[in-house]
Amino acid sequence: KKTTPATVIAGWVSGDIQSREQYPALFRALTTRPLKAPTTLERGLGIPRLYINRMQAGDTMDLGAASSWTLNSRQANEFAQLNSGPGTGTGNREKVAVVLRIKEAKKGGDISNISQLDREMEVVKSGRIRFTSHPKWDQGRRAFVVDAEEID
């Protein structure tokens, strides 16, 4: 079976974590590509409740070799809800729904055409982000929202 950039990325999308470790240059090139226009990207996740009060504007976060973001706000919220709630953390660390939001993202690889979910509108990113707000509870989303900006 021939390995191509498409097969490596498709493998990562389907859960093959080793692919991004074996081909770091490919993921670096993909995740740092300029987007067609600055756009809002979101990432939904669950974070242990005790860390919410520790997140502050100015804090930075390393996204690693590749992290999955979406253009679809509803999808980000679904991911946050799926990864939060009773029994989602270790010990007594219940996770709460958090949506990270970059309002003017300029870099990332749009992989919507090979994403597992048609509606996801997936973009992969790497580099670092800086929080521009502390977590704010959004009742409509039932999640904390944290605004951020790209650093590199």
Side-chain angles (χ1 to χ4, degrees), residues 131-145:
F131 301 142
T132 59
S133 72
H134 64 280
K136 296 176 189 150
W137 180 252
D138 183 319
Q139 185 62 38
R141 294 182 89 161
R142 294 185 355 260
F144 287 94
V145 176

Side-chain angles (χ1 to χ4, degrees), residues 43 70 78-79 83 102 130 132 135 144:
R43 177 172 171 83
T70 181
E78 284 181 29
F79 283 138
N83 291 296
I102 303 172
R130 178 182 300 113
T132 59
F144 287 94

Side-chain angles (χ1 to χ4, degrees), residues 29-50:
L30 173 67
T31 60
T32 59
R33 292 178 53 138
L35 293 168
K36 290 179 183 174
T39 189
T40 299
L41 294 177
E42 295 186 346
R43 177 172 171 83
L45 53 142
I47 294 179
R49 183 177 295 281
L50 66 113

Side-chain angles (χ1 to χ4, degrees), residues 47-69:
I47 294 179
R49 183 177 295 281
L50 66 113
Y51 294 125
I52 291 296
N53 292 331
R54 296 180 187 170
M55 296 173 74
Q56 300 294 321
D59 288 351
T60 61
M61 179 179 178
D62 187 334
L63 302 179
S67 65
S68 177
W69 293 69

Side-chain angles (χ1 to χ4, degrees), residues 46-47 49 80-89 93-97:
I47 294 179
R49 183 177 295 281
Q81 299 303 323
L82 284 171
N83 291 296
S84 62
T88 55
R93 294 183 175 178
E94 175 189 344
K95 291 184 178 180
V96 295

